[in-house]
Amino acid sequence: MSQQPGRNAPCPCGSGRKYKQCCLAADEARARAERAAPLPEPVAFAPSSTDGADESVMAAAPDNGAETPDLWDRFQAAEYEEQIALFRRALRAGELDSELAFEMLGQIAAEAAARQEPEQVAALVREYATTAPELYAPDAGYYAGWLLDAALASGRLDEIPAILEPFARDPVEWADELFRIADQLMYHGVTAPLVRTLEAGWPRVQASGQEALTAQYGELLGQLRLLAYLAEHPGARPDDPALWEVVSPYLEADPATFRENLAALLGTRGRAWQPRDFESAPRTEPRERRLWLLGWEWLGDVWRHHGVAPSRALLATETLLDYQTDQASRGKPKNAAALLVPAPRRLDRFLGRYLTELTWQPYRAGALLGLLPLYLDFLVRRRLVAASAAPRARAELASVASDLLRVLEHEHVDPALIRDIAAAWFPEASQQPPGD
C-alpha cells in the first residue's frame, strides 16, 4: 500500500496543486467507502417535522442485524433537507472532521446552487465556523466562495471584507481560490474590498519568493488600483505622475509604456488603425503589442460609453487578448478580420480551456461572451471590419453563446452571469415572461 502524501505536498495526480486542494477529498471519500459495511437495503429516515427538521432526522436500524452505516453513508442516502439536518446534528455532536465537513457541505452546496439557495449553504458555513472554529479556520479559504455567492445574491456587500480575510492573512496558501474569487468580484464590479485585501497580502506574496505568483498578483493589484484611481479622478491624464506612483510598485512596466497603455484606455491616443496594422509581420512594434493597445481602447470604450463596470470589461479584454494572441502564435488568421473577429469553432474550443475542472474560470469566459456584441460594433466603428461583417459574425457566434449557456446552466453557475449572456445574445428570449 502506497503512503498517502501530506496535505501540503504536491498532488500525485500531476495537477501542480497541493494535495489538500486537489484529490484529498476524493481519496478520503473512497477510503470511507471501502471501510463501510455493505447495506442489504436502503436506509430509511423518519419524517422530518415542519418546524425543526435538523433535530428530527433519525436512521432506522436494519432489522436483520447488519451493522449500522456510518455518517457518510447515511448522508449520501439522504435527501437535501435531511442532509442539512444530518450535517447540523453531526456538527453539534462533534462527529465531524475537516474533510468530512467539506465533503458534506460540498454536496449540499451543489443542490443549493441548483435550487438557487445560496443563503442555505452560507448559513451552514457560518454555523460550522462558529461551532467548530478549530476545524474551520485552517480551511477557511475553501468556504469563502459559498459565502460570497450569498453576499452578492442578497446585496449584503458589507460582509465581503470579512469573507476575504483569509486571503489577506495568507494569500500564498489560498492563491488559486483568491484569483477565482477576484474574477467573481471583478465581474460584479465590487472591487474596493478586493483591492484592500490584495494590498494587505502583498508583502507576504513578495516575501514568498514565488516569481510567477508575485507577477500575477502584482499585475492584478496594479490594474485594479489603476481603475480605482481613474474612477476617482475622471480628468486624469496619461502623464499624471500621481497615477504612476499608485501603480508602479505592482506593474512590471516602464513609464513610457504605461503612459501609452493609459492613453489607449482613455481614448486619447488618436491612432487611426488600419487593417494592415494587424496583418504585417512584427517589426519595431510586434503585432501582439498592437492587439494589446486595440484591446485596451475597447476596454475604455465599453466602460465610458456603455456603462460597463471597468473591472468586468478588463476580464473580457484579457480573455479576448488571450484568444487573439493564441491564434496569432498559431499562424491561423490570414487577414485582419480573421484575427480580430473570433471564429466560432476556434473560440468555442478556446473558451473550453477556462471551463475544465482544474481551471474553472466561468467569469472570464462569460465576461467576453457577454460583451462580444459590443466588441463587434467597436471594430466596425474603428473601420477594421466592414459594416456588413458584424451582423454576420454575430449570427455565427450565437452558437458559442448557446453552448456556454448550456454549460453554465448545467453547472448552476451565478444566475447573473447567465442572464447577462442571454440578454446580450438572445434578448427576445430573455424578455419572455416565465412559463412562455
Side-chain angles (χ1 to χ4, degrees):
M1 180 187 223
S2 60
Q3 184 178 6
Q4 187 182 54
R7 286 168 56 86
N8 290 308
C11 187
C13 77
S15 68
R17 306 179 72 200
K18 291 184 179 181
Y19 180 54
K20 71 178 183 180
Q21 296 171 339
C22 192
C23 292
L24 173 61
D27 289 349
E28 292 283 353
R30 280 193 294 270
R32 275 194 290 275
E34 292 171 359
R35 292 195 299 268
L39 296 177
E41 60 182 76
V43 179
F45 285 84
S48 300
S49 65
T50 57
D51 60 350
D54 61 298
E55 300 294 344
S56 63
V57 177
M58 298 178 61
D63 59 7
N64 59 359
E67 180 182 347
T68 301
D70 67 12
L71 175 60
W72 179 244
D73 288 323
R74 287 185 283 140
F75 179 83
Q76 285 192 308
E79 298 296 330
Y80 174 63
E81 290 80 5
E82 294 168 336
Q83 286 183 333
I84 293 172
L86 267 174
F87 174 82
R88 299 183 70 191
R89 187 181 179 90
L91 175 61
R92 295 169 185 176
E95 297 174 350
L96 301 177
D97 59 29
S98 59
E99 284 79 16
L100 181 55
F102 180 76
E103 291 167 10
M104 293 172 78
L105 285 170
Q107 286 204 16
I108 293 170
E111 181 61 23
R115 298 176 180 227
Q116 296 190 21
E117 297 177 355
E119 186 53 43
Q120 182 69 270
V121 67
L124 293 176
V125 170
R126 289 191 290 266
E127 184 174 351
Y128 176 41
T130 301
T131 306
E134 72 287 352
L135 297 178
Y136 176 85
D139 293 334
Y142 290 134
Y143 298 102
W146 293 329
L147 295 172
L148 185 61
D149 289 343
L152 289 172
S154 64
R156 299 194 307 271
L157 304 186
D158 59 310
E159 296 179 1
I160 293 178
I163 293 172
L164 298 181
E165 192 276 334
F167 306 115
R169 186 175 65 248
D170 197 345
V172 178
E173 172 73 11
W174 299 112
D176 290 343
E177 287 72 17
L178 172 57
F179 288 130
R180 289 191 182 96
I181 279 182
D183 285 354
Q184 185 176 7
L185 289 170
M186 290 170 67
Y187 184 86
H188 285 276
V190 183
T191 56
L194 176 60
V195 169
R196 291 192 292 270
T197 298
L198 292 171
E199 289 174 338
W202 176 240
R204 295 174 178 83
V205 172
Q206 286 183 297
S208 71
Q210 299 185 29
E211 294 183 4
L213 172 61
T214 303
Q216 184 181 4
Y217 192 105
E219 181 177 21
L220 174 61
L221 177 52
Q223 289 176 337
L224 290 178
R225 290 205 68 183
L226 166 63
L227 296 180
Y229 185 94
L230 294 178
E232 295 171 2
H233 304 83
R237 298 168 53 87
D239 58 356
D240 184 345
L243 208 164
W244 173 247
E245 291 297 321
V246 165
V247 302
S248 59
Y250 314 109
L251 294 179
E252 297 179 352
D254 62 87
T257 300
F258 173 75
R259 286 194 293 270
E260 186 178 34
N261 297 345
L262 187 55
L265 177 64
L266 295 175
T268 61
R269 195 160 172 268
R271 181 168 183 172
W273 294 106
Q274 302 293 329
R276 63 175 177 269
D277 292 328
F278 303 95
E279 297 170 354
S280 59
R283 293 191 294 272
T284 57
E285 183 185 53
R287 183 165 59 170
E288 287 75 10
R289 175 63 178 161
R290 302 173 207 172
L291 287 169
W292 203 96
L293 290 169
L294 180 66
W296 269 55
E297 286 185 16
W298 176 55
L299 192 166
D301 183 84
V302 294
W303 171 20
R304 294 190 308 273
H305 302 302
H306 297 280
V308 176
S311 53
R312 182 188 298 189
L314 177 60
L315 285 180
T317 301
E318 289 181 340
T319 307
L320 175 66
L321 290 173
D322 283 348
Y323 169 80
Q324 290 174 334
T325 54
D326 176 78
Q327 295 300 301
S329 69
R330 295 169 182 263
K332 291 184 177 180
K334 301 303 182 183
N335 53 56
L339 174 62
L340 296 176
V341 179
R345 281 191 290 181
R346 292 175 186 169
L347 181 62
D348 194 60
R349 288 195 299 269
F350 178 81
L351 293 181
R353 304 178 191 178
Y354 290 84
L355 301 173
T356 70
E357 185 176 351
L358 289 179
T359 55
W360 195 242
Q361 296 174 298
Y363 289 99
R364 288 186 173 265
L368 175 57
L369 258 295
L371 297 180
L372 198 53
L374 296 180
Y375 171 69
L376 298 175
D377 294 340
F378 169 79
L379 291 179
V380 172
R381 284 188 280 110
R382 295 306 307 268
R383 299 186 177 182
L384 290 170
V385 299
S388 60
R392 184 169 61 250
R394 177 170 180 140
E396 294 172 349
L397 288 164
S399 63
V400 182
S402 295
D403 289 344
L404 181 61
L405 283 172
R406 280 194 292 270
V407 172
L408 299 181
E409 289 168 352
H410 180 268
E411 297 297 329
H412 308 298
V413 173
D414 189 339
L417 182 59
I418 293 172
R419 287 195 301 269
D420 291 340
I421 298 171
W425 288 93
F426 313 106
E428 299 83 3
S430 65
Q431 292 170 7
Q432 291 292 328
D436 281 14

